[in-house]
Amino acid sequence: MTSHSIPKRSKPISVAERSANLAIEGMSCASCVARVERAINAVPGVRSVSVNLATERAEVHFDETAEAGAIIKAIEDTGYQVAEERLEFGIEGMSCASCVARVEKAVKSVPGVIDASVNLATERAFVRLIKNMVSADEVEKAMRGIGYEARRFGGTEHVDREAETRERESSRLKRDVTIAALLTLPVFILEMGSHFVPAIHDFVMAHIGMQESRYAQFFLATLVLFGPGLRFFAKGVPALLRAVPDMNSLVAIGAAAAWSYSVVATFASSLLPAGTANVYFEAAAVIVTLILLGRYLEARAKGRTSEAIKHLMGLQPKTARVLRDGETTEIPVADLRKGDVVLVRPGEKIAVDGVVLEGESYVDESMITGEPVPVRKTNGSEVVGGTINKTGAFTLRATKVGADTVLAQIIHMVEQAQGAKLPIQALVDRVTAWFVPLVMAIALLTFLVWLIFGPEPALTFALVNGVAVLIIACPCAMGLATPTSIMVGTGRAAEMGVLFRRGEALQTLRNAEFIALDKTGTLTKGHPELTDLEAAAGFDRGMVLALVAAAETRSEHPIAEAIVSAAKADGLVVDEPQNFEAIPGYGTRAEVAGKTVHVGADRLMVRLGLDVSAFAVTAERLGNEGKSPLYAAIDGKLAAVIAVADPIKQTTPQAIRELHELGLKIAMITGDNRRTAQAIARKLGIDEVVAEVLPDGKVAALRRLQEDGYNIAFVGDGINDAPALAAADAGIAIGTGTDVAIESADVVLMSGDLLGVPNAIALSKATIRNVKENLFWAFAYNVVLIPVAAGVLYPVYGVLLSPVFAAGAMALSSVFVVGNALRLRRFKGAHG
């Protein structure tokens, strides 16, 4: 029997019932079904469960008291997996770290949601949920229920829409700042000018009148507060009523308190104690204007933090010319299907990933590989969407479209990294959760202390200082400190060909002390090449190479292939050999163009009765370089000494130097013999060598280094090195140019250039340093200035902070944080 249904009658009927159809992986028999059912049924809130082995699904009925996490854990504890879904939402209306905490709390409370991570800088939510248990609409509804607009993203098209939304908001803010400033300026001149400029005071008294001046200020300040400033009340007051105040609440209370007190002083001054009927319309208006200005500057700066994504999106053309039903049609790239035949003209961007069917050209792939030299493409060559066709025209068959293309994967990886939360963010989240309520408590305490113990007029002092505390507090700066740095840092990395697959890798990579490098394909090119050929006296190098290559054409050994490739690269004619013979343990023999050619180790030459001592110095040098010398004899005479090796990449020595300059130790892990490995290590200045390691022994080698107390970053090719990449504290995969979605790596280098490693490490250090600078500023600002606003300096120095200056400081605080993060855009690399 493969399906059961076990009701739980004890559950109260009064609670609303819901159901979910969960996909469960790993069940193999009826006992699995019973085990899963028992586990789910034990979760509080579950009313009934029916598991079907054939469909591998569980139909669960539960009430709103059931926790999604508990259902998942119950299934996983029995050894099975539940299919999950990851959704991404854009959120409008968030203004500070308190908003982030509130949205996360609301989303996590939706039954079926496993986890939610909200990013203030990108204005996005990344939600993990149980597939089929909760819908995107329910998540959106939860966010709208607490006052935020939410919209699910379903592909790369959201970037354009998001840019439009940001541009719209920026335009609205610019308009509101302009209106607020024009209305606030007369209020400021009338009130503050009368205090500090005798001529203005005399003009107001003679031509306007004190009371009339107050009426004018009331009219203008009211327009500011309930025109451009209405956004603070529209969001802040509902948040306050829900007992979850945010930054908008602080501004709304502060500005409303100054305005309300001034209204009473203007229209009902008899209600106030003698000598306290002062007006603060200018404070209310200036507070709103300055904070709107800060929001506008912040919105512009935040728009610049996502320029890396915009640049990547700009690489993809909007339309493509396809061949359908024998006709050429221009269609949007989004409408392309796998298998479509796409026509590419000279100078055009290639629309999608595909294989060349007809024609040939050179393609600029620098955006993927970092190599500036265009690559020749002919029939059967793979091309990548977003790269630029240079000279010729060709047709291609689309192999990957939409979210599957290399460019889409790169964009997705960058976005995922930008939306990540560093471990350091956990502390910030804990602080910001109670920050706004604490500020309100401090403001109330400030008001009461000044009212009870302050000098006359005590009510005026109490009001001004209480408002200053509310206005100067800046949870925005704390909320933006980490995500803006991550956004700019990971975006700059992508521009440099370094993809952080996980945002937290920024922190783990920064802590790396030992860099373990795989040799083949990482330090070296990964395939053997002819590195040395020294001809004996009386022999021509080209002739010897042509004959040796011809003799080796029948051999399938990599060394033979390297010799043949070298001859062809030199433009030599490689003849067909006659009477080819492999001599086990010695080498090869063949007849080429009437000559007898022997190629092999020194023992083959001894067997032929030839003395190799003439090449003793060369052989010793080759041995010290870790190369095994081979010899060639032609018609019974010693003709040349040859060496074939896997050559070191051109940029490897510079990369090793730069890693040492960053204070890192370097280990090389290789399956090569110790002598060869030591020779390469000596040449490159590598600190430690772990040689003669089998492929599955790399993890053990890393563990030994970790046991010595080192944080290890492992650099490998991402194909053979998956276990080692996963075992290291940080795994860096050297991509092939198209294979960027290497699951086991934390960081992927898009080109095979090892210089990406010091760049990645230097950038991770710079980003974390930037985060710490931002956090220090955000916390120090609040810790120092909130007490100053409360008036702690007054008893000793007689200094008080005006709400107007408090508004200016608060507006500039978050602008400073975003501006500091933007400095990372100028990062030049470890060698820049």
Side-chain angles (χ1 to χ4, degrees):
M1 187 170 173
T2 59
S3 181
H4 301 56
S5 182
I6 307 176
K8 292 178 80 173
R9 302 181 190 280
S10 59
K11 300 291 178 191
I13 302 301
S14 57
V15 184
E17 184 177 295
R18 302 168 53 126
S19 65
N21 193 279
L22 309 180
I24 299 178
E25 299 164 0
M27 294 190 299
S28 58
C29 64
S31 62
C32 300
V33 171
R35 200 176 304 131
V36 172
E37 284 183 341
R38 274 198 304 273
I40 296 174
N41 248 310
V43 176
V46 172
R47 291 185 172 178
S48 68
V49 57
S50 174
V51 178
N52 188 301
L53 180 61
T55 60
E56 292 184 302
R57 289 186 174 274
E59 184 75 31
V60 185
H61 295 267
F62 54 95
D63 60 42
E64 58 199 27
T65 64
E67 291 183 7
I71 295 174
I72 290 286
K73 190 173 185 305
I75 296 168
E76 289 179 346
D77 285 349
T78 57
Y80 308 100
Q81 292 294 315
V82 180
E84 293 179 8
E85 201 171 1
R86 293 170 189 265
L87 302 181
E88 191 179 338
F89 298 85
I91 309 168
E92 291 178 30
M94 294 194 300
S95 60
C96 66
S98 301
C99 301
V100 171
R102 187 151 63 256
V103 173
E104 283 185 352
K105 186 178 177 184
V107 173
K108 285 176 182 176
S109 69
V110 177
V113 170
I114 301 164
D115 191 27
S117 174
V118 176
N119 188 302
L120 178 62
T122 59
E123 295 177 330
R124 292 196 199 168
F126 296 90
V127 182
R128 262 178 71 218
L129 45 83
I130 304 171
K131 200 171 182 180
N132 302 324
M133 188 173 183
V134 61
S135 67
D137 290 343
E138 289 172 280
V139 177
E140 287 180 8
K141 188 178 174 186
M143 289 189 259
R144 291 195 183 104
I146 55 168
Y148 302 93
E149 269 306 307
R151 185 182 66 257
R152 184 189 169 188
F153 289 149
T156 53
E157 76 280 355
H158 68 264
V159 177
D160 289 336
R161 208 180 306 134
E162 186 183 277
E164 285 170 23
T165 304
R166 281 188 189 277
E167 193 56 46
R168 250 197 331 270
E169 175 63 9
S170 188
S171 298
R172 274 201 297 265
L173 279 166
K174 186 178 181 180
R175 180 200 65 201
D176 288 353
V177 167
T178 305
I179 294 168
L182 291 172
L183 294 171
T184 298
L185 190 61
V187 179
F188 188 80
I189 291 170
L190 282 172
E191 184 59 27
M192 301 308 289
S194 295
H195 284 299
F196 296 107
V197 182
I200 294 177
H201 175 77
D202 294 342
F203 176 83
V204 169
M205 296 305 289
H207 297 91
I208 300 175
M210 180 63 74
Q211 193 61 22
E212 286 75 11
S213 168
R214 290 186 170 186
Y215 292 153
Q217 289 179 50
F218 161 73
F219 176 71
L220 292 170
T222 303
L223 288 177
V224 172
L225 258 68
F226 302 105
L230 187 63
R231 64 175 64 216
F232 298 116
F233 295 92
K235 291 174 182 173
V237 173
L240 200 59
L241 295 174
R242 288 194 297 268
V244 280
D246 62 2
M247 197 199 84
N248 293 302
S249 307
L250 296 180
V251 176
I253 294 170
W259 179 83
S260 303
Y261 185 91
S262 304
V263 169
V264 174
T266 301
F267 297 102
S269 56
S270 58
L271 297 175
L272 297 173
T276 63
N278 303 309
V279 294
Y280 298 98
F281 287 123
E282 91 291 344
V286 170
I287 284 167
V288 167
T289 303
L290 284 178
I291 291 170
L292 281 172
L293 176 63
R295 287 265 179 100
Y296 171 62
L297 294 174
E298 184 186 315
R300 283 189 60 191
K302 276 164 70 177
R304 286 163 61 202
T305 62
S306 57
E307 280 186 1
I309 291 286
K310 289 179 199 165
H311 170 70
L312 288 170
M313 284 300 299
L315 294 173
Q316 189 174 48
K318 303 291 182 195
T319 61
R321 294 166 69 247
V322 297
L323 202 61
R324 284 185 180 169
D325 303 322
E327 290 187 8
T328 303
T329 317
E330 192 160 317
I331 63 169
V333 166
D335 293 344
L336 279 171
R337 297 191 298 265
K338 198 172 175 179
D340 272 341
V341 175
V342 181
L343 282 69
V344 184
R345 290 177 293 196
E348 283 186 342
K349 286 180 180 173
I350 297 169
V352 286
D353 298 1
V355 175
V356 175
L357 292 177
E358 200 178 312
E360 67 174 74
S361 182
Y362 283 86
V363 173
D364 178 358
E365 295 186 332
S366 56
M367 76 97 171
I368 293 289
T369 64
E371 293 294 332
V373 181
V375 181
R376 185 166 178 260
K377 301 290 181 182
T378 57
N379 289 8
S381 299
E382 289 187 356
V383 289
V384 178
T387 55
I388 301 167
N389 180 33
K390 301 300 276 185
T391 51
F394 60 89
T395 58
L396 65 90
R397 174 170 281 113
T399 54
K400 290 178 182 175
V401 296
D404 294 329
T405 64
V406 169
L407 184 59
Q409 287 180 54
I410 291 171
I411 290 168
H412 181 66
M413 283 166 63
V414 174
E415 287 177 338
Q416 290 285 93
Q418 289 187 339
K421 287 194 174 183
L422 298 186
I424 201 171
Q425 182 72 18
L427 169 68
V428 181
D429 289 345
R430 281 200 297 273
V431 172
T432 52
W434 50 258
F435 180 77
V436 173
L438 177 67
V439 168
M440 293 178 71
I442 293 171
L444 180 60
L445 182 64
T446 300
F447 180 84
L448 293 173
V449 168
W450 278 94
L451 187 65
I452 298 165
F453 302 107
E456 290 301 327
L459 181 59
T460 299
F461 277 113
L463 176 76
V464 169
N465 293 323
V467 169
V469 169
L470 288 171
I471 297 303
I472 204 157
C474 189
C476 260
M478 291 192 289
L480 290 169
T482 306
T484 49
S485 296
I486 294 173
M487 277 185 74
V488 183
T490 52
R492 180 69 188 115
E495 289 172 352
M496 296 170 71
V498 177
L499 296 179
F500 283 87
R501 292 196 66 252
R502 301 174 184 89
E504 51 273 25
L506 279 166
Q507 197 160 328
T508 52
L509 194 56
R510 169 194 169 270
N511 297 329
E513 301 160 292
F514 224 119
I515 308 297
L517 300 156
D518 177 44
K519 181 185 78 76
T520 306
T522 302
L523 293 170
T524 64
K525 291 185 178 179
H527 51 83
E529 289 182 7
L530 179 69
T531 57
D532 301 83
L533 192 156
E534 187 178 314
F539 285 92
D540 175 68
R541 184 187 183 278
M543 181 202 74
V544 172
L545 179 54
L547 291 172
V548 170
E552 294 289 341
T553 52
R554 296 280 179 88
S555 172
E556 293 178 359
H557 196 283
I559 289 176
E561 290 175 9
I563 293 169
V564 174
S565 297
K568 287 179 177 176
D570 284 358
L572 300 172
V573 176
V574 180
D575 294 324
E576 273 293 309
Q578 305 295 318
N579 304 322
F580 175 82
E581 179 190 355
I583 308 168
Y586 288 92
T588 59
R589 175 192 174 280
E591 299 286 335
V592 181
K595 295 182 184 293
T596 304
V597 181
H598 287 84
V599 184
D602 53 0
R603 57 183 172 273
L604 176 60
M605 299 299 115
V606 171
R607 181 172 165 176
L608 294 172
L610 298 174
D611 182 9
V612 296
S613 59
F615 289 123
V617 175
T618 305
E620 186 180 354
R621 174 180 63 80
L622 294 173
N624 290 336
E625 291 174 4
K627 301 171 184 175
S628 300
L630 297 173
Y631 298 90
I634 299 172
D635 286 338
K637 291 180 182 176
L638 183 64
V641 63
I642 302 166
V644 171
D646 183 2
I648 292 166
K649 289 179 184 174
Q650 199 173 349
T651 54
T652 295
Q654 186 186 345
I656 299 295
R657 273 198 310 278
E658 289 177 9
L659 288 170
H660 276 136
E661 283 167 13
L662 288 168
L664 299 162
K665 289 190 171 184
I666 301 166
M668 179 173 71
I669 300 177
T670 178
D672 273 0
N673 66 71
R674 184 164 297 279
R675 185 183 175 192
T676 303
Q678 292 284 10
I680 291 171
R682 268 197 310 276
K683 188 172 182 180
L684 293 173
I686 288 170
D687 304 294
E688 193 165 323
V689 175
V690 184
E692 297 169 11
V693 174
L694 295 172
D696 56 356
K698 288 178 183 176
V699 172
L702 290 177
R703 292 268 187 262
R704 282 198 299 275
L705 290 169
Q706 286 169 326
E707 283 163 11
D708 291 338
Y710 291 110
N711 271 314
I712 306 291
F714 178 76
V715 185
D717 64 11
I719 301 161
N720 308 315
D721 297 325
L725 287 166
D729 297 293
I732 304 173
I734 293 198
T736 60
T738 54
D739 184 18
V740 293
I742 298 168
E743 286 298 321
S744 50
D746 301 299
V747 182
V748 177
L749 307 181
M750 282 194 280
S751 72
D753 193 343
L754 199 62
L755 282 171
V757 177
N759 281 344
I761 293 169
L763 184 56
S764 74
K765 287 177 184 286
T767 304
I768 298 301
R769 185 165 58 246
N770 194 272
V771 167
K772 288 183 174 178
E773 289 165 0
N774 279 350
L775 288 174
F776 174 79
W777 166 262
F779 281 93
Y781 165 89
N782 284 294
V783 167
V784 172
L785 290 186
I786 288 175
V788 172
V792 295
L793 298 179
Y794 186 79
V796 180
Y797 300 104
V799 174
L800 288 175
L801 192 66
S802 159
V804 169
F805 290 113
M810 187 269 223
L812 289 173
S813 178
S814 46
V815 174
F816 173 88
V817 163
V818 179
N820 187 48
L822 285 171
R823 290 191 307 116
L824 288 169
R825 289 171 63 204
R826 299 197 295 271
F827 179 83
K828 298 294 184 191
H831 54 288

